[in-house]
Amino acid sequence: PPERTYAGAFRLHVLPADLTRALKQLGSDHECTLFTTLLAGFALFLHRLSGQDDLVIGIPAAAQVMDGQDELVGHFANLLPVRSRIAGELPFTDFLVETRRILGAALEHWRYPFGELLQRLNIARDSSRMPLANVVFNSTRLRGRLDFGDLPAEVEGNAKRFSHFDLNFNFAVTGDALSIGAYYSTELFDDATIERWFGHFETLLRAIVGTPARSIRRLPLLNPDERRRVLVEWNDRRLPYDRRATIAQLFEAQAARSPDAIAVIAESGDVTYRELDTRAERLASRLRAAGVGADTLVGVFVDRSIELLVTIFGILKAGGAYVPLDPKYPAERLEFIVGDARLPIVVTRQSLVSQLPAGGFDFLLVDDETPGASRLGRSLAVPNPTQPTGASLAYVLYTSGSTGRPKGVAMPQRSVAALVAWAADCYRPEELDGVLFSTSASFDISVFEIFCPLCLGGRIVLAENMLELADRPIASAVRFLSGVPSAVAELVRLNRVPASVTTIALAGEPFPQPLVDALYALPHVRRVFELYGPTETTVYSTGSLRRAATRPTLGTPFPNEQIYILDRWLEPVPVGVPGEICIGGDKLARGYLNRPDLTAEKFLANPFAGGGDGAPAAPAGSDNRIYRSGDLARWCPDGTIESLGRVDHQVKIRGFRIELGEVEATLGRHPLVAECAVIARSDGSGHNRLLAYAVPRAGQPVESRELREHLQRTLPDYMVPAAVTVLAHWPRTATGKLDRNALPDPELPGAAEYAAPGTTTEELLVEIWREVLGIPRIGVHDNFFELGGHSLLAAQVIARVNGALEVELTIRQFFAAPTVAGLAVTIEAALIQEIKAQPAAGRATETLTPAEE
């Protein structure tokens, strides 16, 4: 808390006599007191709870006289900070001996005042916590029965209702047993947590005396029942499905069941299951003739349209796997994907042929079947007759890479079949009868939006942009919204959630409770889900049905999947202890395309497979691997999962997964950049934005605008930092490392020369942009997106403009004219057209002269 109240509580736990005797014997064997042995165990306990290797524990040292205070008489207590550095591979016996050494060295300074130590170290007092040592370990010599002849007495601990420290463990020998009393801050912990910790501490101590030479990292905190709960019981949900089925087979079966039902609703016209299946089959026939078969990668360079769906299903029906190539991506990124995936063939539309990325591939036109309209026959000389199975590839999606290179996630057909089975179990048929498909095919949410409805008899509503959905006639057909919380929050803020929507499922970034409450406040919204899952585990792996006024969680593991929360040594952590989410089960990717090193690093053999820990045997052909997600979380006592962020430098910006290392690597390739850094920082409205910083090479100055344009030529829009700031040198920590917290506020880009607004419309736009972007000086030629704007902020501008001027400005118009001057011309042209239309619509009895008009 910002200000501590010192509110506390006390709990007592008694260790049995046999454990006490074993601890004394272990200490004696290594010339250590019981206090030293328990202190070593306590330090190890804190290390396992916190994941920290460098700990400072306070030990009270009592004395009658303090150094420098010889003229004072009375009882004084001084706090002695004892520092422990813990290495996981070290045997406990070695750590015990090391604890004896550091404790002996510390006790030489037991009279040195703690307050003076803080002053010498220049450690400021902090009202939120005790500085330097906020955890205390102590021993109480007297506790239990005393014998004074005819006057028996019993000494009890003074259970104070306050605590000066976060946690204070006191132990005392009571007869043959050992009691541990814990004073703890009730602002940080509750009784249930302390009780669990007592159990973990006792389990750890028993393991220490049982195998004292065992390495520290292998000593357990969980007893067998707790271990089985987190590994098995909370993961033991099975859902039957056909593990051999392919996506094409699932879709074809549905098309046979409901051939005349509407499959796709689009502005260009509705398409039935029969029509979509027939068109996809014709494309599949052409692809087979070109040599496409099982595991053949085929590029998809098609904009959002019915043809995009025809292309995807055509590739799958031919047996191949599709690789999305978003036409909105920069040419350099598209060329990288084409080369990295070694695509032999790309499907595109006639209108996009001129924009195809460079590469030695053939191409085929989905919208032109005339002979000679496509370029085929060079790359796939030998047809591939192999039929796909559940183990064959379905798609490869490229995501941001920490090494600076995008990585292709290769997903098998079986994983998508498991996703479809989960969707059938989770959602009602009427909910899937109108799923909005507005996500780029390059992102994994599109996998759910396309395949789950169309393999289960539902309908998808094809739209270009969720934010302008309410302006489209097809909006009334949408029943189900999926996406990221920030986008839907904007719809709520603008009151643009279609009244037909009943179900909303969001993932990809934190989902705050106020947004949940706002969604349930809409009379037509009945169910709101929070979902979680990396691309590598087929879209979603956990989820919960959120309720109004409840605590947000990632929910529980889905059927046929296992969620393990593990420490750095892949050992399960107790409830409440942070660890990395590792995912096992039926929906794992095959790995990263052509990246065996990265695949081996992130996809590991499942250490809990094979029916161990009481787990039932997995079905034949199960994937006995786990994926290390890099996401930090902890178990809650009820078996739900609480998200705690990331363990690395990956961030989520408006739901997009971004490796800061890839952006840094791209910026660092500029010839004038010596050093660079990219961070994510809140923009003050609850959203993160990327900020880049660069130090140029000596004697070679560079402009921020040039660096940002360099990034725009290589990275997708969502990965381009809102600002690039050029610094003469880095802020450094005391150890010489980059101090990321000291990086200055961004140098926001603007026009080369400032131009003031010249019309009333321009003045209004400048004022709105200032408020939305938080930038005090904006010229009429500044580009909204170069100033750090994005689609969600653009939606705010549009709403304010439409409200102030009573026009119907759209997202497309904004993207076409993203400067104040250009947008003002668009708005004024719309106003003139509206004025011209007024006499015919509402002034039939009055005629305007040309001059008046």
Side-chain angles (χ1 to χ4, degrees):
E3 294 282 342
R4 288 197 61 181
T5 66
Y6 298 98
F10 176 79
R11 302 289 293 183
L12 185 68
H13 182 76
V14 178
L15 298 178
D18 66 318
L19 178 56
T20 303
R21 289 192 297 269
L23 288 168
K24 289 179 179 179
Q25 185 61 51
L26 176 62
S28 176
D29 292 344
H30 294 83
E31 299 180 347
C32 294
T33 64
L34 178 61
F35 180 89
T36 302
T37 306
L38 289 169
L39 176 62
F42 184 63
L44 173 56
F45 176 64
L46 294 178
H47 159 73
R48 294 291 296 277
L49 288 181
S50 66
Q52 297 180 29
D53 300 326
D54 194 350
L55 301 168
V56 178
I57 299 173
I59 297 177
Q64 295 300 316
V65 179
M66 299 288 291
D67 272 0
Q69 304 292 337
D70 292 342
E71 70 279 8
L72 298 179
V73 178
H75 176 77
F76 294 87
N78 190 34
L79 191 66
L80 186 67
V82 177
R83 186 176 190 175
S84 296
R85 293 179 175 88
I86 302 174
E89 297 296 341
L90 193 69
F92 178 80
T93 49
D94 291 356
F95 178 64
L96 177 59
V97 172
E98 175 64 11
T99 300
R100 183 188 66 192
R101 185 191 67 78
I102 61 173
L103 180 60
L107 287 171
E108 294 180 8
H109 309 284
W110 64 275
R111 298 176 66 181
Y112 194 89
F114 184 71
E116 187 173 338
L117 177 64
L118 298 180
Q119 184 177 358
R120 292 291 183 93
L121 293 175
N122 196 28
I123 297 177
R125 293 282 182 175
D126 187 340
S127 61
S128 68
R129 64 187 296 170
M130 179 67 72
L132 189 60
N134 57 339
V135 175
V136 168
F137 187 77
N138 193 20
S139 64
T140 303
R141 294 184 181 276
L142 295 179
R143 176 167 293 175
R145 290 187 174 277
L146 299 177
D147 188 3
F148 295 101
D150 294 335
L151 183 64
E154 183 149 350
V155 179
E156 294 184 356
N158 178 18
K160 304 184 294 289
R161 305 304 298 177
F162 64 88
S163 178
H164 290 97
F165 301 91
D166 292 352
L167 184 66
N168 185 343
F169 261 37
N170 288 271
F171 80 89
V173 176
T174 306
D176 293 333
L178 186 68
S179 63
I180 301 175
Y183 292 96
Y184 59 94
S185 168
T186 53
E187 294 176 296
L188 300 177
F189 310 115
D190 58 21
D191 286 352
T193 297
I194 301 302
E195 283 297 327
R196 282 198 307 272
W197 284 4
F198 280 146
H200 299 330
F201 190 40
E202 182 173 335
T203 298
L204 179 65
L205 292 178
R206 285 199 175 278
I208 286 172
V209 298
T211 53
R214 199 175 186 181
S215 66
I216 284 173
R217 72 179 183 87
R218 301 293 297 175
L219 292 168
L221 291 183
L222 297 171
N223 63 40
D225 288 342
E226 292 172 319
R227 183 180 175 91
R228 188 179 190 283
R229 184 178 305 119
V230 299
L231 292 180
V232 181
E233 292 178 10
W234 288 345
N235 285 308
D236 193 19
R237 294 178 62 200
R238 301 286 184 182
L239 185 65
Y241 69 99
D242 188 351
R243 302 171 58 84
R244 300 166 298 175
T246 66
I247 305 172
Q249 290 169 346
L250 294 174
F251 171 69
E252 289 166 353
Q254 183 57 53
R257 288 192 294 268
S258 55
D260 297 321
I262 299 298
V264 185
I265 299 173
E267 292 185 340
S268 60
D270 298 347
V271 176
T272 67
Y273 274 90
R274 177 187 283 116
E275 291 168 336
L276 181 57
D277 186 46
T278 300
R279 293 179 61 180
E281 183 58 43
R282 288 205 305 267
L283 176 62
S285 178
R286 298 164 64 196
L287 288 169
R288 292 189 199 100
V292 173
D295 280 5
T296 304
L297 299 185
V298 181
V300 178
F301 190 69
V302 181
D303 50 8
R304 185 177 302 282
S305 59
I306 297 295
E307 284 73 18
L308 174 62
L309 297 170
V310 170
T311 299
I312 289 174
F313 278 105
I315 293 170
L316 293 172
K317 286 165 77 70
Y322 70 93
V323 183
L325 301 168
D326 195 325
K328 296 179 180 179
Y329 277 8
E332 185 174 333
R333 190 176 186 85
L334 293 175
E335 290 168 7
F336 172 86
I337 295 174
V338 168
D340 187 73
R342 304 165 191 169
L343 295 179
I345 187 170
V346 173
V347 179
T348 187
R349 299 177 68 172
Q350 180 65 57
S351 59
L352 294 173
V353 170
S354 61
Q355 302 174 39
L356 280 169
F361 54 83
D362 291 348
F363 69 83
L364 185 151
L365 300 182
V366 64
D367 55 348
D368 190 347
E369 300 182 21
T370 61
S374 303
R375 186 181 70 196
L376 289 172
R378 299 184 305 167
S379 302
L380 293 171
V382 180
N384 182 354
T386 308
Q387 293 299 310
T389 66
S392 301
L393 280 183
Y395 59 80
V396 175
L397 299 185
Y398 275 80
T399 68
S400 180
S402 59
T403 61
R405 294 170 50 202
K407 53 185 183 291
V409 180
M411 193 62 62
Q413 304 262 352
R414 180 181 61 244
S415 297
V416 183
L419 178 73
V420 172
W422 160 77
D425 181 67
C426 181
Y427 299 119
R428 304 170 184 134
E430 59 268 25
E431 291 177 308
L432 298 177
D433 189 30
V435 176
L436 178 66
F437 172 35
S438 63
T439 306
S440 168
S442 296
F443 294 98
D444 62 345
I445 292 179
S446 67
V447 173
F448 167 83
E449 293 175 344
I450 296 172
F451 300 125
C452 290
L454 294 183
C455 291
L456 295 172
R459 299 186 298 180
I460 64 176
V461 182
L462 185 62
E464 180 65 29
N465 192 310
M466 180 189 295
L467 295 175
E468 59 180 18
L469 174 64
D471 298 324
R472 305 297 178 189
I474 59 175
S476 61
V478 178
R479 305 284 181 268
F480 191 112
L481 280 183
S482 64
V484 295
S486 54
V488 173
E490 199 60 31
L491 284 180
V492 173
R493 197 186 70 81
L494 300 174
N495 194 25
R496 309 282 278 179
V497 178
S500 56
V501 171
T502 63
T503 307
I504 297 175
L506 303 182
E509 60 187 9
F511 191 177
Q513 187 60 39
L515 176 56
V516 177
D517 297 339
L519 291 172
Y520 276 122
L522 300 174
H524 49 89
V525 173
R526 300 191 185 106
R527 299 210 295 172
V528 177
F529 291 87
E530 178 172 11
L531 306 174
Y532 159 81
T535 301
E536 289 84 349
T537 63
T538 322
V539 195
Y540 304 130
S541 294
T542 74
S544 64
L545 178 61
R546 293 287 294 272
R547 304 290 186 183
T550 56
R551 175 177 55 88
T553 75
L554 298 180
T556 56
F558 286 158
N560 306 321
E561 297 193 64
Q562 294 85 48
I563 300 295
Y564 307 111
I565 302 181
L566 309 178
D567 62 20
R568 75 184 80 171
W569 299 292
L570 302 182
E571 288 293 324
V573 297
V575 167
V577 175
E580 181 181 3
I581 293 179
C582 296
I583 305 173
D586 290 2
K587 288 168 53 200
L588 267 60
R590 184 183 292 182
Y592 297 110
L593 188 67
N594 302 322
R595 300 288 298 276
D597 54 339
L598 188 58
T599 299
E601 175 186 337
K602 300 294 284 185
F603 292 86
L604 310 177
N606 187 344
F608 316 111
D613 293 296
S622 291
D623 194 334
N624 288 326
R625 298 178 301 157
I626 57 172
Y627 167 70
R628 300 189 64 171
S629 71
D631 292 320
L632 196 65
R634 62 184 172 193
W635 288 111
C636 300
D638 61 356
T640 58
I641 300 165
E642 181 182 358
S643 173
L644 299 175
R646 291 286 301 175
V647 299
D648 54 20
H649 293 300
Q650 185 188 105
V651 298
K652 289 287 185 71
I653 302 294
R654 304 190 305 282
F656 297 120
R657 186 171 92 175
I658 299 172
E659 296 280 3
L660 298 183
E662 180 176 357
V663 185
E664 289 178 349
T666 303
L667 182 57
R669 285 196 288 269
H670 190 282
L672 299 183
V673 171
E675 296 180 275
C676 62
V678 177
I679 64 173
R681 184 175 289 175
S682 174
D683 61 6
S685 64
H687 301 302
N688 283 338
R689 63 177 177 178
L690 289 183
L691 302 175
Y693 298 84
V695 174
R697 298 187 183 279
Q700 296 180 309
V702 63
E703 295 289 332
S704 298
R705 180 181 294 274
E706 179 183 345
L707 297 180
R708 197 166 189 277
E709 289 173 351
H710 164 73
L711 293 171
Q712 287 175 320
R713 288 192 295 269
T714 306
L715 300 174
D717 289 343
Y718 69 89
M719 293 181 66
V720 177
V724 181
T725 302
V726 178
L727 302 174
H729 52 79
W730 285 136
R732 302 285 185 181
T733 65
T735 59
K737 296 181 179 180
L738 167 64
D739 187 352
R740 291 178 179 265
N741 293 327
L743 289 169
D745 289 335
E747 176 185 308
L748 291 169
E753 295 183 4
Y754 172 76
T759 68
T760 304
T761 305
E762 289 180 348
E763 289 176 354
L764 174 66
L765 288 174
V766 165
E767 184 60 30
I768 292 174
W769 284 26
R770 285 173 182 164
E771 295 176 2
V772 171
L773 295 173
I775 300 174
R777 181 181 170 91
I778 292 177
V780 297
H781 299 303
D782 288 345
N783 187 295
F784 181 82
F785 300 102
E786 291 182 356
L787 293 175
H790 49 73
S791 58
L792 299 183
L793 295 180
Q796 291 187 29
V797 172
I798 291 170
R800 296 191 187 193
V801 170
N802 290 347
L805 298 178
E806 296 184 356
V807 295
E808 291 298 326
L809 185 66
T810 67
I811 286 279
R812 290 184 181 182
Q813 289 174 313
F814 195 112
F815 274 79
T819 66
V820 169
L823 200 57
V825 170
T826 300
I827 293 170
E828 288 162 358
L831 289 172
I832 290 172
Q833 290 298 320
E834 185 176 340
I835 292 172
K836 286 183 176 181
Q838 284 180 0
R843 299 173 59 185
T845 60
E846 182 179 350
T847 303
L848 295 178
T849 67
E852 289 172 331
E853 182 179 309

